[in-house]
Amino acid sequence: MNEEERIPPGQKVTEKFPVLHEGSVPEFDQKEWDFRVEGLVENSVTMSWKEFRDLPKAKAVSDFHCVTGWSRLENEWEGVRFRELVKLASPKANARFVTVVAEGGYTTSLSLEDMMDEDVLLASQFEGEPLPPEHGGPLRLVVPKKYAYKSAKWVRKVVFTEEKELGYWEKRGYSDSADPWKEERYS
Ligand SMILES: Nc1nc2c(c(=O)[nH]1)N[C@H]1C(S)=C(S)[C@@H](COP(=O)(O)O)O[C@H]1N2
Ligand SMILES: [Mo]
């Protein structure tokens, strides 16, 4: 694909990596940090940072599209595929959505189907280095096929649900489906 074809409608490429979020960057306290998988699952999981780090890792190169109009191409993320968490927790048959909860209360939600894509990661590395705090370190979600407000930074918990729970921006007028190729910016 040439560069033009990989830029969704209404987006402009930036070489920089802008930092964009509500509120302040949370401090990472490794002793206190945990990661939880809850809701409609056979096995609820609570992991320490060390336990999370020991999960199988994957790399994925993907593009990142912010709803405000910038796109950053060819980002190399490394982390744990969401699929890996599904294996651990075994969602029940009626689990259809996933609410992703970040430090400080930011949330977003995605269908379980969208989360199962192989490029959906809980990323702890960016371009071969630990993910910087301002970009969501120690751990952020990356969902390349959706506008970046779905890629929650500072993730601490995922909850499997039967009904969709609208996230922080989705409650404030942004699209829940958030497909950049269809320019689904607002609901
Ligand atoms: N926890 C949290 N995650 C968040 C946000 C936020 O406000 N809080 N903003 C989202 C938006 S709108 C964008 S564009 C990306 C920006 O990620 P970046 O700062 O690494 O470029 O983070 C997303 N994840
Ligand atoms: Mo954004």
Side-chain angles (χ1 to χ4, degrees):
M1 229 187 331
N2 66 37
E3 193 167 283
E4 211 132 287
E5 285 169 357
R6 68 190 281 183
I7 303 163
Q11 295 293 109
K12 276 207 170 70
V13 169
T14 175
E15 304 294 330
K16 296 176 299 219
F17 195 177
V19 170
L20 206 61
H21 54 258
E22 297 282 287
S24 52
V25 176
E27 205 167 307
F28 173 42
D29 177 352
Q30 211 188 113
K31 291 192 300 293
E32 184 258 7
W33 190 96
D34 62 7
F35 183 82
R36 291 168 188 262
V37 184
E38 293 178 357
L40 299 173
V41 292
E42 300 296 343
N43 313 308
S44 300
V45 180
T46 304
M47 277 177 279
S48 67
W49 177 243
K50 183 171 183 314
E51 287 165 330
F52 194 91
R53 294 295 309 253
D54 288 342
L55 295 175
K57 294 286 185 319
K59 277 185 194 166
V61 175
S62 59
D63 299 344
F64 196 76
H65 309 294
C66 173
V67 74
T68 62
W70 55 268
S71 290
R72 191 179 198 279
L73 305 182
E74 287 284 310
N75 306 290
E76 191 197 288
W77 302 100
E78 185 174 356
V80 175
R81 283 200 183 106
F82 185 76
R83 286 178 184 183
E84 208 62 56
L85 299 180
V86 166
K87 273 197 243 165
L88 284 180
S90 301
K92 296 187 174 168
N94 57 342
R96 291 175 52 230
F97 295 93
V98 180
T99 300
V100 180
V101 183
E103 199 94 51
Y106 186 90
T107 64
T108 190
S109 125
L110 287 126
S111 71
L112 181 50
E113 196 188 340
D114 287 334
M115 292 293 272
M116 292 301 281
D117 262 2
E118 91 179 335
D119 59 5
V120 173
L121 295 183
L122 283 143
S124 54
Q125 300 266 121
F126 176 74
E127 311 285 358
E129 302 283 341
L131 181 61
E134 66 274 20
H135 286 299
L139 191 70
R140 85 175 298 166
L141 181 67
V142 179
V143 187
K145 295 186 182 74
K146 301 289 183 183
Y147 283 121
Y149 54 87
K150 297 282 185 181
S151 292
K153 307 199 270 193
W154 314 300
V155 174
R156 291 285 300 273
K157 183 164 79 169
V158 296
V159 186
F160 289 80
T161 63
E162 184 161 12
E163 306 294 335
K164 170 165 57 200
E165 293 174 349
L166 289 181
Y168 181 89
W169 284 119
E170 296 88 332
K171 273 186 213 152
R172 290 165 175 78
Y174 286 88
S175 167
D176 183 57
S177 46
D179 182 343
W181 296 97
K182 297 183 184 154
E183 252 195 300
E184 294 168 343
R185 293 178 199 270
Y186 309 107
S187 54

